[in-house]
Amino acid sequence: MLKIPEKTIQRLIIYRKILNDLRYFGETNLFSTKLAKIAGYSPVQVRSDLMVIGYQGSPARGYDIDNLETSIGSFIDAPKGEGIAIVGVGKLGKSMLEYCYWKCPNLSSIELFDVDSKLIGTEVEGIKIHHIDDIEMILSQGNIRVAIITVPPENAQDVAGRLILAGIKGILNYTPVRLKVPEDVFVEEMDMIVPLEKVSFYARQS
Amino acid sequence: MLKIPEKTIQRLIIYRKILNDLRYFGETNLFSTKLAKIAGYSPVQVRSDLMVIGYQGSPARGYDIDNLETSIGSFIDAPKGEGIAIVGVGKLGKSMLEYCYWKCPNLSSIELFDVDSKLIGTEVEGIKIHHIDDIEMILSQGNIRVAIITVPPENAQDVAGRLILAGIKGILNYTPVRLKVPEDVFVEEMDMIVPLEKVSFYARQS
DNA sequence: TTATCAATGTTATTTATTTAACGTTAAGAT
DNA sequence: ATCTTAACGTTAAATAAATAACATTGATAA
Ligand SMILES: NC(=O)c1ccc[n+]([C@@H]2O[C@H](COP(=O)([O-])OP(=O)(O)OC[C@H]3O[C@@H](n4cnc5c(N)ncnc54)[C@H](O)[C@@H]3O)[C@@H](O)[C@H]2O)c1
Ligand SMILES: NC(=O)c1ccc[n+]([C@@H]2O[C@H](COP(=O)([O-])OP(=O)(O)OC[C@H]3O[C@@H](n4cnc5c(N)ncnc54)[C@H](O)[C@@H]3O)[C@@H](O)[C@H]2O)c1
């Protein structure tokens, strides 16, 4: 299979979100120029990205919003929806859970894990918190491949190891720890310190 | 001035963090190979990144950790420390504030803003929350160029506009809204939905 | 019916970034 | 003292990504 650049995938996801918003406002079609303008890229960029998923527009009417949104969806999304695990249901974990719960479009299930005995068995958004020791058992049942880590830094590597044993292939890492993982596990760093320092650097340049 | 790639800046920040950790454990020097291994890049990448800041190591002893950390710092950091504004002191904003307050190394000041009359005047971590209407007045005094937006999506664009009027040049945007900003304002998207869908996509491929 | 035109899909070019190659350096061994 | 060697700094090559160029499409109007 031919390798699709991460940046392209990222932009496709952004296009999809924009299309969804526009559809909500009753728009039915648009040209690459408009999509590019909203997304903040060039029209050529947009067109060549759409080439990747093989979507065909019309020179006269541009792209059909409904259609294109569906096409991107069937390219990006898991066919049966994605299940995720959130490990560490503290302040940040709870915030992320609530956000996912209300805002993520293609989420089929959420599992919660912690070690705090005061939390185990309680519910957030109607979802029960399990003990981290049960993670392999619980994840072996469903088809959950993605996890969010929001535990204290000192437990992050240990948790990552357990997640991988339980079959997790993608991680959103909110801790400042650089996790050691096998090659086939995809980690996305969510810590704010790197972006904050980067923004601070560029803000100073301008 | 010659343009430095964003990726290089990002990696330099990561190197610095690693060096800091190693120094904490009493290490005094290291080779590009080791730094690369921990950071997850190639040794050549590391060496050519360090070339950008003009740091010289020794073929025999590699890099002096203390020295290199300082060199990266004086290249990346604002000389007098960076001040930031956090707009929207809700669940997420508070979480970010506490994290910055305890974890950010080069932060000289934090200003908080909200609209909720129940919050105005109260303190978090000893920092008073101001009304958003006072933002221009307050930011005009200090040298704050960076802001974090954690308000509801419907207010994000309005807040961004006010921040820019108040002289902000860099934004960490935690809302799912794609902000319209002038060319010289640097925006970093912090929303989790794009990364989550991306990770989900790649997790499925592997 | 056919000419026009604006926007598309695709290939070619340019630019940016990463990786490889190689000469240089200095500590430690002979 | 000089040889060896492993790691550095730098230049050159390769790869990846974005942009530009251009041929193609099909709706519209003469
Ligand atoms: N990315 C960011 O911008 C950002 C912002 C704030 C916090 N953080 C990081 O996120 C993490 C969580 O922060 P928080 O403020 O929510 O902390 P918190 O203390 O409120 O929550 C941590 C939770 O993890 C649980 N936990 C501890 N060890 C565990 C384990 N082995 N398995 C499962 N659960 C475990 C704790 O019981 C607790 O409920 C920290 O690493 C913090 O540094 C990141
Ligand atoms: N990036 C992520 O992963 C992530 C996660 C959770 C939430 N979010 C987003 O972050 C934002 C905040 O989420 P939250 O859960 O903290 O919401 P919240 O309602 O707890 O907090 C929002 C705060 O913003 C204040 N506010 C509203 N309008 C304002 C204005 N014009 N100026 C200043 N302050 C104003 C409110 O008074 C409130 O205190 C939302 O946009 C949400 O979608 C993002």
Side-chain angles (χ1 to χ4, degrees):
Chain A
M1 178 202 276
L2 127 154
K3 207 211 138 206
I4 297 138
E6 213 174 303
K7 292 249 189 105
T8 302
I9 298 297
Q10 211 160 306
R11 284 190 299 262
L12 285 169
I13 294 167
I14 290 167
Y15 300 153
R16 195 247 295 256
K17 170 72 167 60
I18 293 169
L19 294 167
N20 186 268
D21 289 352
L22 290 172
R23 190 161 57 77
Y24 181 83
F25 285 109
E27 310 262 323
T28 58
N29 50 257
L30 88 175
F31 297 109
S32 63
T33 312
K34 182 167 180 185
L35 186 47
K37 183 89 175 285
I38 301 173
Y41 309 120
S42 72
V44 223
Q45 185 67 273
V46 169
R47 293 205 299 276
S48 75
D49 284 338
L50 297 188
M51 226 176 77
V52 171
I53 63 168
Y55 185 84
Q56 300 273 98
S58 132
R61 268 167 283 99
Y63 304 102
D64 182 276
I65 289 181
D66 206 22
N67 249 320
L68 180 52
E69 196 188 331
T70 314
S71 291
I72 297 178
S74 64
F75 184 82
I76 296 285
D77 291 336
K80 298 174 185 173
E82 189 68 60
I84 62 165
I86 300 179
V87 185
V89 194
K91 284 189 298 290
L92 189 63
K94 222 171 268 172
S95 203
M96 291 304 151
L97 161 61
E98 280 164 24
Y99 190 63
C100 287
Y101 187 81
W102 295 108
K103 295 287 174 67
C104 289
N106 197 44
L107 225 55
S108 60
S109 68
I110 303 177
E111 298 286 353
L112 302 177
F113 299 93
D114 208 295
V115 279
D116 188 341
S117 55
K118 285 192 291 294
L119 290 174
I120 312 294
T122 66
E123 292 187 354
V124 188
E125 302 286 357
I127 303 167
K128 193 174 274 178
I129 300 176
H130 301 287
H131 195 281
I132 181 78
D133 289 344
D134 298 334
I135 196 164
E136 245 182 297
M137 195 252 290
I138 290 167
L139 295 195
S140 68
Q141 293 166 359
N143 61 336
I144 295 183
R145 277 179 302 263
V146 175
I148 300 176
I149 300 183
T150 45
V151 300
E154 53 272 26
N155 304 309
Q157 182 62 60
D158 174 55
V159 161
R162 287 173 180 227
L163 285 168
I164 290 161
L165 279 177
I168 289 295
K169 295 291 180 193
I171 294 174
L172 256 61
N173 176 27
Y174 275 92
T175 78
V177 176
R178 289 194 76 76
L179 302 172
K180 268 179 250 159
V181 301
E183 277 239 327
D184 68 332
V185 176
F186 191 94
V187 179
E188 187 80 1
E189 301 298 343
M190 289 290 123
D191 189 65
M192 69 169 306
I193 292 180
V194 173
L196 180 59
E197 294 187 347
K198 190 171 77 177
V199 162
S200 163
F201 176 83
Y202 283 106
R204 199 142 21 87
Q205 308 299 93
S206 77
Chain B
M1 181 200 278
L2 129 153
K3 207 208 138 208
I4 296 138
E6 213 174 303
K7 292 247 189 107
T8 301
I9 298 298
Q10 212 160 306
R11 285 191 298 263
L12 284 169
I13 294 168
I14 290 168
Y15 300 153
R16 195 246 296 253
K17 170 74 167 60
I18 292 169
L19 294 168
N20 187 268
D21 289 352
L22 290 172
R23 192 161 56 79
Y24 181 82
F25 285 109
E27 310 261 324
T28 58
N29 52 257
L30 89 175
F31 296 110
S32 63
T33 313
K34 181 166 182 184
L35 186 47
K37 184 90 175 288
I38 301 175
Y41 309 118
S42 71
V44 222
Q45 185 68 271
V46 170
R47 292 205 299 276
S48 76
D49 284 339
L50 297 189
M51 225 177 78
V52 171
I53 61 167
Y55 185 83
Q56 300 271 96
S58 132
R61 268 167 282 99
Y63 304 102
D64 181 276
I65 290 182
D66 206 22
N67 249 321
L68 180 52
E69 197 189 332
T70 314
S71 290
I72 297 177
S74 64
F75 185 81
I76 296 286
D77 291 336
K80 297 174 184 173
E82 188 70 61
I84 62 166
I86 300 179
V87 186
V89 194
K91 284 190 297 292
L92 190 63
K94 223 171 270 172
S95 205
M96 291 305 150
L97 161 62
E98 279 165 23
Y99 190 63
C100 287
Y101 187 82
W102 296 108
K103 296 288 173 68
C104 289
N106 197 44
L107 226 54
S108 60
S109 68
I110 304 177
E111 298 286 351
L112 302 176
F113 299 92
D114 208 295
V115 278
D116 188 340
S117 56
K118 285 193 291 296
L119 290 174
I120 313 295
T122 66
E123 292 187 355
V124 187
E125 302 286 357
I127 303 167
K128 193 173 276 181
I129 301 175
H130 301 288
H131 195 282
I132 181 79
D133 290 344
D134 298 333
I135 196 164
E136 245 181 298
M137 195 252 290
I138 290 167
L139 294 195
S140 68
Q141 293 165 359
N143 61 335
I144 296 183
R145 275 179 303 262
V146 175
I148 301 177
I149 300 183
T150 44
V151 300
E154 53 272 24
N155 305 310
Q157 181 63 60
D158 173 54
V159 161
R162 287 172 180 227
L163 285 168
I164 290 161
L165 279 178
I168 290 295
K169 294 293 179 193
I171 295 174
L172 257 60
N173 177 25
Y174 274 93
T175 78
V177 176
R178 289 193 75 77
L179 302 172
K180 269 179 249 157
V181 301
E183 278 240 325
D184 69 332
V185 176
F186 191 94
V187 179
E188 188 79 359
E189 301 298 342
M190 290 291 124
D191 190 66
M192 68 169 307
I193 291 180
V194 172
L196 180 60
E197 294 187 348
K198 189 170 78 178
V199 162
S200 164
F201 176 82
Y202 283 106
R204 199 144 19 86
Q205 308 298 94
S206 77

